[in-house]
């Protein structure tokens, strides 16, 4: 009998407790169901904290303010920049007669019948140390070239002939005409540049990489790479910038491409159409150059076009 009484009391107590809990839960207001977001009405401002918008007061991470996305640059905006090309003449530049101006662009064409070899067009405005340099460039055929910077003038190493000579293709050109001869390297020595290059080629094998002309280092940072150099050591790969196919997709074949170089201290960054293609952190004191001249370079066959060349010096 005592056992049954205790069980009855226990059951009654449990039932009463459950009723209290249920009453307490039932008394809470129901959670509101998530509502689908509606687009802002025409003319309405985006909510605070949206990309490109300042955060609402008090938002953020306790650092005294909110956050906002950075504003994108306008590649065609040139406030604070110096134009290096007037769009109609080669005033301020020096090179052989292969360099011309056509339809607002500096052009050079190399063919089997009239090859240019490796030649340079050198800006005569002096040296640049820390700077940004931007321009538009496109190419046809198999043309290969690029932008020289922090460079200097010197004869080709060891009396080396211009690429494309010597044991290149022999016999007549595909047109049947005799194969031409590139300019005499001796006559080109006054423009022959050494040093850093933003590589550019119509076939998009090398576009955007960091190449060094004539010094023996050659390709230092391949496109899609972040590389560090140190004296007495091989270059070291720090990181990659994306899958090769994605990196390749930034190039616009047969169209104008936006090239942007940022050289500050020992770091050189190459951008193409708003994307980072390569970065070199050059800590090899025996090879790194802190300043130098600017120029254009071309080799192989095809045609190279360059326009809208702008320089912003970040230090004197």
């Amino acid at each position: 009998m005592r056992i049954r009484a205790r069980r009855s009391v226990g059951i009654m107590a449990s039932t009463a407790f459950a009723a209290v809990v249920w009453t307490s839960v039932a008394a809470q207001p129901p959670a509101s169901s998530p509502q689908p977001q509606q687009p802002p009405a025409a003319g309405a401002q985006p909510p605070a904290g949206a990309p490109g918008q300042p955060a609402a007061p008090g938002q953020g991470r306790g650092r005294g303010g909110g956050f906002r996305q950075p504003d994108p640059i306008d590649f065609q905006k040139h406030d604070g920049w110096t134009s290096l090309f007037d769009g109609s003449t080669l005033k301020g530049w020096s090179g052989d007669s292969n360099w011309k101006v056509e339809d607002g662009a500096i052009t050079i064409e190399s063919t089997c019948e009239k090859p240019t070899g490796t030649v340079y067009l050198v800006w005569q405005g002096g040296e640049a140390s820390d700077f940004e340099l931007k321009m538009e460039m496109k190419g046809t055929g198999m043309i290969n070239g690029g932008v020289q910077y922090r460079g200097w003038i010197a004869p080709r190493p060891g009396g080396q002939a211009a690429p494309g000579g010597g044991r290149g293709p022999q016999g007549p050109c595909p047109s049947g005409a005799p194969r031409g001869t590139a300019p005499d390297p001796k006559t080109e020595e006054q423009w022959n540049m050494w040093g850093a290059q933003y590589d550019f080629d119509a076939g998009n094998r090398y576009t955007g990489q960091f190449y060094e002309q004539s010094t023996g280092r050659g390709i230092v940072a391949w496109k899609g790479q972040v590389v560090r150099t140190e004296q007495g050591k091989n270059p070291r790969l720090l990181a990659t910038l994306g899958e090769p196919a994605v990196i390749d997709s930034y190039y616009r074949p047969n169209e104008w491409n936006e090239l942007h170089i940022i050289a500050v201290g020992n770091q050189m960054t190459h951008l193409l159409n708003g994307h980072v293609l390569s970065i070199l952190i050059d800590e090899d004191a025996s090879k790194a150059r802190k300043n130098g001249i600017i120029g254009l370079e071309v080799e192989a066959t095809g045609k190279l076009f360059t326009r809208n060349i702008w320089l912003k010096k970040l230090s004197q």
Side-chain angles (χ1 to χ4, degrees):
M1 292 298 292
R2 291 180 181 175
I3 295 176
R4 288 182 179 178
R6 288 175 181 171
R7 285 180 179 174
S8 298
V9 172
I11 291 171
M12 292 174 64
S14 298
T15 303
F17 178 75
V20 171
V21 173
W22 170 251
T23 302
S24 176
V25 172
Q28 299 297 322
S32 57
S33 301
Q35 298 297 318
Q37 292 185 346
Q38 299 297 323
Q45 294 295 320
Q53 298 296 319
Q59 288 186 352
R61 298 184 179 178
R63 299 181 185 178
F67 302 99
R68 60 172 290 162
Q69 293 288 332
D71 295 327
I73 69 161
D74 181 351
F75 190 83
Q76 300 302 332
K77 188 175 181 180
H78 311 305
D79 294 346
W81 297 69
T82 300
S83 174
L84 305 192
F85 172 50
D86 63 18
S88 57
T89 71
L90 290 177
K91 181 180 179 180
W93 295 81
S94 180
D96 69 20
S97 60
N98 286 295
W99 298 93
K100 306 180 187 306
V101 176
E102 301 173 357
D103 300 323
I106 297 173
T107 67
I108 185 167
E109 185 171 19
S110 180
T111 66
C112 177
E113 294 82 4
K114 189 181 178 182
T116 63
T118 298
V119 293
Y120 302 85
L121 183 68
V122 183
W123 182 57
Q124 301 296 290
E127 297 189 345
S129 178
D130 292 349
F131 63 89
E132 293 187 55
L133 179 65
K134 61 183 181 179
M135 66 193 68
E136 294 176 276
M137 190 173 280
K138 67 178 179 179
T140 65
M142 297 303 295
I143 204 68
N144 190 356
V147 185
Q148 301 292 137
Y149 63 95
R150 288 184 175 177
W152 64 100
I153 302 292
R156 289 189 174 90
Q160 183 184 100
R167 298 184 180 181
Q170 304 298 313
C173 294
S175 65
R179 190 171 296 275
T181 303
D184 182 355
K186 281 292 182 183
T187 67
E188 297 291 326
E189 279 189 0
Q190 59 185 307
W191 304 294
N192 191 72
M193 291 188 69
W194 290 47
Q197 182 187 96
Y198 181 123
D199 212 333
F200 184 90
D201 70 303
N204 195 30
R205 294 180 61 194
Y206 309 113
T207 296
Q209 70 182 11
F210 181 97
Y211 177 77
E212 206 163 78
Q213 196 81 351
S214 298
T215 65
R217 289 209 291 182
I219 302 172
V220 185
W222 298 69
K223 64 178 180 177
Q225 294 183 346
V226 181
V227 173
R228 170 183 283 139
T229 61
E230 298 174 87
Q231 188 168 345
K233 299 179 181 180
N234 290 331
R236 301 288 295 275
L237 178 65
L238 296 182
T240 56
L241 298 167
E243 293 296 324
V246 175
I247 298 297
D248 285 343
S249 72
Y250 300 145
Y251 174 76
R252 302 168 185 163
N254 303 312
E255 296 182 19
W256 289 107
N257 290 269
E258 297 174 345
L259 282 64
H260 191 168
I261 300 167
I262 304 174
V264 179
N266 64 349
Q267 179 170 316
M268 281 70 70
T269 303
H270 291 180
L271 297 94
L272 180 73
N273 299 322
H275 301 277
V276 179
L277 265 286
S278 65
I279 298 173
L280 174 63
I281 302 169
D282 198 355
E283 297 180 348
D284 184 347
S286 68
K287 300 286 187 181
R289 298 276 295 204
K290 297 297 184 182
N291 60 2
I293 59 177
I294 292 169
L296 303 176
E297 182 264 350
V298 76
E299 58 190 76
T301 57
K303 193 168 184 177
L304 185 70
F305 304 77
T306 309
R307 70 181 186 186
N308 295 332
I309 309 173
W310 294 86
L311 173 69
K312 179 193 285 185
K313 289 189 176 182
L314 305 177
S315 65
Q316 299 301 320

